[in-house]
Amino acid sequence: MRTLTFKRGIHPPDSKSYTDWSPIKILMPDKGLLMTIPLSQHIGAPCESLVKKGDRVLLGQKIADSSAAFSAPIHSSVSGTVTDIKPMLTPSGTMCNSIIIENDGLFEEHPSLGKDTSYASFSREKILEKIKEAGIVGLGGAGFPTHIKQNPPKEKKIDTIILNAAECEPYLTTDHRVLIEKTDRVIKGLEILLTLHPNAKGIIAVETNKPDAIAALTKSSEGNSKIEVVSVLTKYPQGSEKQMIDAVTGRQVPSGGLPADVGCIVDNVDTVLAIERAVAKDRPLMRRIVTLSGDAVKCPGNYQVRLGMSFKDFIEATGGFKEEPAKVIAGGPMMGVAVYSLDIPIIKTSSAILCFTEKAAVLPPENNCIRCGKCVEHCPMGLMPLELNSDIMADDMESFEKHHGLDCIECGSCSYICPAKRHLAQSIRTAKRNVMAMKKKK
Amino acid sequence: MENTKLIVSSTPHIRSKDSIQSIMRDVLIALTPAALMGIWYFGIKALLIIAISIASSIFFEAAFQKITKKSITITDLSAAVTGLLLAMNLPVEIPFWLPIVGAFFAIIVAKQLFGGLGQNFINPALAARAFLLASYPTPMTNFTSPTGLFANSDTVAKATSLADAVSNATPLSRLNEGAFIPEISDYIDALSGNIGGCIGETCAIALIIGGIYLLVRRVISWRIPVTYILTVFILSWFFGRTPLYELLIGGLMLGAFFMATDYSSSPVTPLGQLIMGFGCGVLTALIRSYGSYPEGVSYSILLMNLAVPLIDRYTKPKIFGEVKKNDK
């Protein structure tokens, strides 16, 4: 088997051995626990609540939806009573209107669940509708509604569905565990996607640091000529959509374009598992798999968690902290968000919770650029971060755009590698936001 | 858990272990074998010159930053690297005040006046060497043959007065005088450093070991040194000189691994680094073959330093998924 890869990139320590041995533990919220379910857990229009304070809701009941096409409905992950609907803090640091449900501990299922499972006879439209109704969005972190992604404009001929099993962020091990524990279901999920795109082949791309997953997938996909398992080099940001497509197909998504422009759709592992559950088992998205790691937690591992459980309740349920945390990250260490409160819920896009002690959290001070050129040598997009950074320092946004600042994928490779510890990615991200905001105004 | 105060910062939350200090420390480590060989061949005086050069470089950096009320950055070791490189580019028979003047020029004029580390457009140590060569040509071209570690100044004086021809003969000047075909023993002398020249440039094998260390530690990339050395090799052969011997003598190894690769005064783009190495190689071979100076390494690098902003501008890497302008 060939090992595929993309140009440039970095090799941070993968720090996966803390949790990659740990089987997925199912963690159910205790009776009486308050679940906080934000009405916006995806890119697109926020949902509106379908329930009101005092209502009793059942497990899997749709509790929020939007009339906009570019959105995804939200379901209750427990049975219980709606105690309030009010703005609450979310992992991204913003306030969002949220439905708060007190778990009655019965997990009483909504009668609509698991009725319609004869998926082999489903039409393309019905599968897309199932995916939409199940509230599935990209669970890797982006939160792009899956039914939109799987239904690109007609003129875009899709010939490759890539199952992105690179999991290139350090510490994260959920995809790895899903691939070896639920191999057949992942394959089944991919097969369902392939029925949506009859002219496409499915490629499962796994980083070389997961040989057991490669072996399991190869074995499980034997006999299906439309599915191929490929190994990709363990290198960050291999799991970035554009870099993944480049490595697997040799095609480059044009600047400002989407994967569909080069005939590809890229899906995350947990997302494909959710698709399998929605279509083959007729169950909506109510849980996700989260890696809990970092030197501050007592029991690092991989947990299947109900959406809406707060970070605090979740960490306490796993055994709590070993040492006082100084930094908590929602997501991976390269692109995740440092949160300032633990009273935030696990939402559809929460792939990991990393808790670090002060010793591990302190970042070195920033120094002057020494022009070593390492950021240029490692930028996966072929940008010159030092040049963009000096454009930003000079507040020259015209030059920033001319130097392709908007093409930055914010992977953080430049900041990681910089020996002067300059805040390259941070400054570029801020400048991107400002330029986009200015463009919107015009 | 109730009142936990959490640190919030932007991504990424992990950083590589490399720092300016660790890089400069690696350069110092890489230069050590060649410096030790210089001391071995040229005596205790070489050690003193190295010490004076490093100490005065650090002093001038700290003094300038103190006077201009900037934070003092001597712990990043960049001044120490400049001081060591300067000393290694000086002949041993110089007065002790000369490295102090050189350190002043390198640190104050070439580096700090242009904004400090990362902002200097030419290599400070080479700029200082060029300045000293122009200002004090006699001591700066008085190359003695190696005398050994324990030679006292008497014997050194004797050696120089006994045979001026020997004391001034670097292999390069002998090559230029013609009718000198290096033999096996000359190659061995050049590799081991048993030849005339500056303190730190003579022992090719020690410099190569240091260069490989920097490559392995990923402090420098192969692009500048390899293209530089290859270009000199090919052109020397083309000009009918002795290509292999040419690589081992003069300042080529020191220049290719340690001077042309100076971060601030070399291109940041991969293609630009290849051009830098090639340009240095062409200039060095031309100066050696046709110039009136026997050696061209330092002037080649200084000239290419001046072209770096231009090189960087025209060698930008291709953007991932770049859309051609006329497509829009």
Side-chain angles (χ1 to χ4, degrees):
Chain A
M1 198 190 300
R2 284 180 308 144
T3 299
L4 306 165
T5 191
F6 61 100
K7 264 193 187 171
R8 299 177 280 258
I10 57 169
H11 295 279
D14 78 359
S15 310
K16 291 182 191 285
S17 58
Y18 301 113
T19 53
D20 62 1
W21 51 269
S22 152
I24 298 166
K25 268 185 237 128
I26 296 174
L27 203 136
M28 296 306 257
D30 288 341
K31 185 182 171 191
L33 220 56
L34 293 178
M35 310 295 281
T36 304
I37 303 188
L39 294 178
S40 179
Q41 305 189 23
H42 51 263
I43 300 175
C47 293
E48 274 164 37
S49 176
L50 304 174
V51 294
K52 53 187 194 301
K53 193 172 163 178
D55 281 2
R56 176 169 155 78
V57 292
L58 299 178
L59 180 81
Q61 180 181 341
K62 185 158 84 173
I63 53 173
D65 203 351
S66 164
S67 54
F70 202 96
S71 187
I74 293 162
H75 303 77
S76 177
S77 57
V78 292
S79 61
T81 314
V82 176
T83 60
D84 210 345
I85 300 176
K86 62 177 181 187
M88 296 288 283
L89 190 65
T90 66
S92 63
T94 55
M95 299 296 281
C96 177
N97 230 1
S98 308
I99 300 170
I100 297 165
I101 301 167
E102 188 183 328
N103 177 23
D104 63 10
L106 301 172
F107 299 100
E108 190 184 330
E109 282 191 14
H110 195 264
S112 67
L113 261 61
K115 288 282 174 293
D116 195 6
T117 56
S118 55
Y119 71 100
S121 61
F122 286 179
S123 67
R124 177 190 150 83
E125 283 65 35
K126 178 145 188 196
I127 293 176
L128 284 172
E129 185 61 21
K130 281 272 170 204
I131 291 173
K132 177 173 190 244
E133 276 306 303
I136 298 173
V137 301
L139 300 179
F144 194 93
T146 303
H147 65 279
I148 308 268
K149 193 179 196 172
Q150 297 301 336
N151 194 16
K154 282 271 180 303
E155 69 273 12
K156 313 271 186 212
K157 298 269 178 272
I158 301 299
D159 60 14
T160 311
I161 306 291
I162 300 171
L163 177 55
N164 184 349
E167 197 162 53
C168 62
E169 274 265 11
Y171 291 95
L172 272 54
T173 53
T174 56
D175 290 352
H176 188 178
R177 293 310 306 183
V178 168
L179 292 175
I180 55 177
E181 289 178 38
K182 302 169 197 269
T183 323
D184 292 343
R185 291 180 57 196
V186 172
I187 299 284
K188 200 198 265 183
L190 182 58
E191 283 168 348
I192 290 169
L193 283 179
L194 287 172
T195 63
L196 293 175
H197 311 279
N199 299 320
K201 61 176 193 294
I203 296 178
I204 308 175
V206 191
E207 275 192 354
T208 45
N209 61 358
K210 297 178 262 293
D212 49 350
I214 296 174
L217 288 162
T218 310
K219 188 156 174 278
S220 177
S221 64
E222 256 171 28
N224 188 332
S225 60
K226 289 185 85 177
I227 295 179
E228 188 192 348
V229 182
V230 300
S231 67
V232 288
L233 196 66
T234 304
K235 184 167 77 169
Y236 181 86
Q238 181 63 72
S240 156
E241 205 164 59
K242 291 180 174 181
Q243 275 61 36
M244 177 54 89
I245 293 170
D246 184 27
V248 170
T249 67
R251 302 174 200 163
Q252 293 202 343
V253 177
S255 170
L258 290 171
D261 294 335
V262 290
C264 294
I265 292 176
V266 183
D267 288 294
N268 163 272
V269 172
D270 204 11
T271 313
V272 171
L273 193 63
I275 291 169
E276 185 267 347
R277 202 166 38 238
V279 179
K281 301 205 169 122
D282 198 20
R283 295 175 74 83
L285 181 60
M286 299 178 287
R287 57 77 174 152
R288 68 154 300 135
I289 298 163
V290 179
T291 295
L292 178 70
S293 193
D295 60 349
V297 293
K298 207 176 272 171
C299 304
N302 303 292
Y303 297 90
Q304 183 172 310
V305 193
R306 293 275 138 177
L307 296 176
M309 198 169 178
S310 80
F311 278 34
K312 196 163 125 187
D313 294 336
F314 166 60
I315 294 167
E316 264 173 13
T318 64
F321 290 113
K322 187 171 65 180
E323 278 180 71
E324 189 164 350
K327 193 183 221 179
V328 175
I329 300 164
M334 293 300 295
M335 290 188 76
V337 179
V339 301
Y340 61 87
S341 163
L342 295 175
D343 289 315
I344 48 174
I346 288 166
I347 60 171
K348 290 177 182 177
T349 52
S350 312
S351 54
I353 298 174
L354 308 179
C355 308
F356 294 107
T357 59
E358 187 147 9
K359 193 173 76 219
V362 170
L363 288 179
E366 192 175 18
N367 287 299
N368 288 345
C369 172
I370 56 169
R371 282 180 46 88
C372 64
K374 284 188 198 289
C375 55
V376 182
E377 203 174 327
H378 293 275
C379 175
M381 295 304 286
L383 305 176
M384 294 179 61
L386 83 167
E387 185 183 60
L388 293 169
N389 186 247
S390 70
D391 290 342
I392 294 160
M393 293 289 161
D395 201 20
D396 186 352
M397 288 302 126
E398 213 171 288
S399 181
F400 174 81
E401 266 193 79
K402 204 181 88 202
H403 292 144
H404 303 275
L406 294 179
D407 281 295
C408 171
I409 56 169
E410 302 174 22
C411 67
S413 296
C414 49
S415 297
Y416 173 83
I417 206 79
C418 180
K421 313 297 169 196
R422 295 194 63 74
H423 303 159
L424 298 167
Q426 178 179 8
S427 68
I428 296 169
R429 179 188 301 115
T430 311
K432 267 177 73 181
R433 301 281 183 280
N434 292 345
V435 171
M436 297 300 269
M438 264 168 32
K439 284 198 166 171
K440 252 187 188 165
K441 261 188 209 162
K442 274 181 191 165
Chain B
M1 195 151 148
E2 294 306 318
N3 299 313
T4 311
K5 280 214 174 96
L6 295 174
I7 301 171
V8 179
S9 67
S10 185
T11 58
H13 304 288
I14 50 172
R15 302 294 166 95
S16 67
K17 287 201 178 70
D18 287 343
S19 66
I20 299 176
Q21 194 190 39
S22 75
I23 286 173
M24 296 300 165
R25 194 189 306 126
D26 273 342
V27 177
L28 289 175
I29 291 169
L31 283 168
T32 302
L36 287 177
M37 290 308 283
I39 296 165
W40 174 259
Y41 283 118
F42 295 111
I44 294 296
K45 190 175 176 196
L47 177 63
L48 286 173
I49 290 172
I50 291 174
I52 291 169
S53 180
I54 293 178
S56 47
S57 292
I58 293 173
F59 169 78
F60 286 127
E61 177 135 307
F64 184 92
Q65 287 170 333
K66 181 91 184 161
I67 291 164
T68 55
K69 298 194 171 64
K70 290 187 162 63
S71 52
I72 292 175
T73 59
I74 51 172
T75 51
D76 71 14
L77 300 177
S78 66
V81 168
T82 302
L84 179 55
L85 279 173
L86 173 64
M88 292 174 75
N89 272 290
L90 298 174
V92 74
E93 278 308 300
I94 47 164
F96 284 121
W97 53 265
L98 206 68
I100 302 176
V101 176
F104 176 85
F105 193 87
I107 296 294
I108 305 290
V109 180
K111 184 179 176 187
Q112 290 298 343
L113 287 184
F114 286 93
L117 184 64
Q119 300 294 321
N120 49 291
F121 67 99
I122 49 174
N123 185 319
L126 278 185
R129 177 189 149 99
F131 168 75
L132 295 177
L133 196 58
S135 311
Y136 312 98
T138 318
M140 283 296 289
T141 51
N142 182 17
F143 297 109
T144 45
S145 291
T147 49
L149 177 59
F150 302 105
N152 58 42
S153 49
D154 271 2
T155 51
V156 174
K158 223 178 274 170
T160 39
S161 60
L162 270 179
D164 267 355
V166 176
S167 72
N168 279 316
T170 66
L172 269 169
S173 52
R174 287 172 74 193
L175 270 181
N176 273 13
E177 283 155 14
F180 168 57
I181 295 154
E183 292 165 20
I184 297 288
S185 61
D186 290 308
Y187 282 94
I188 292 169
D189 281 346
L191 261 179
S192 60
N194 192 20
I195 49 173
C198 294
I199 293 171
E201 71 178 17
T202 59
C203 182
I205 191 79
L207 289 165
I208 293 170
I209 290 169
I212 290 171
Y213 175 77
L214 289 187
L215 286 171
V216 170
R217 298 278 296 162
R218 295 182 182 243
V219 171
I220 59 172
S221 92
W222 60 270
R223 296 184 196 94
I224 292 175
V226 170
T227 42
Y228 191 171
I229 293 167
L230 262 183
T231 309
V232 171
F233 180 84
I234 291 166
L235 284 181
S236 313
W237 173 75
F238 187 72
F239 292 151
R241 293 164 66 97
T242 47
L244 197 58
Y245 189 59
E246 202 99 340
L247 301 186
L248 304 175
I249 55 174
L252 183 61
M253 287 299 162
L254 183 62
F257 283 111
F258 296 96
M259 316 289 275
T261 54
D262 172 45
Y263 287 153
S264 348
S265 54
S266 67
V268 293
T269 65
L271 178 60
Q273 290 167 358
L274 294 175
I275 295 174
M276 173 85 183
F278 177 72
C280 287
V282 170
L283 289 171
T284 300
L286 283 176
I287 295 174
R288 280 185 177 182
S289 300
Y290 300 108
S292 52
Y293 273 118
E295 174 57 317
V297 168
S298 41
Y299 285 113
S300 310
I301 296 171
L302 285 171
L303 280 170
M304 288 308 290
N305 284 166
L306 302 182
V308 164
L310 202 65
I311 296 173
D312 267 344
R313 176 179 297 184
Y314 290 106
T315 56
K316 291 190 178 166
K318 194 173 171 295
I319 310 288
F320 184 100
E322 187 164 14
V323 182
K324 285 199 188 99
K325 286 270 157 27
N326 55 13
D327 287 2
K328 281 182 182 170

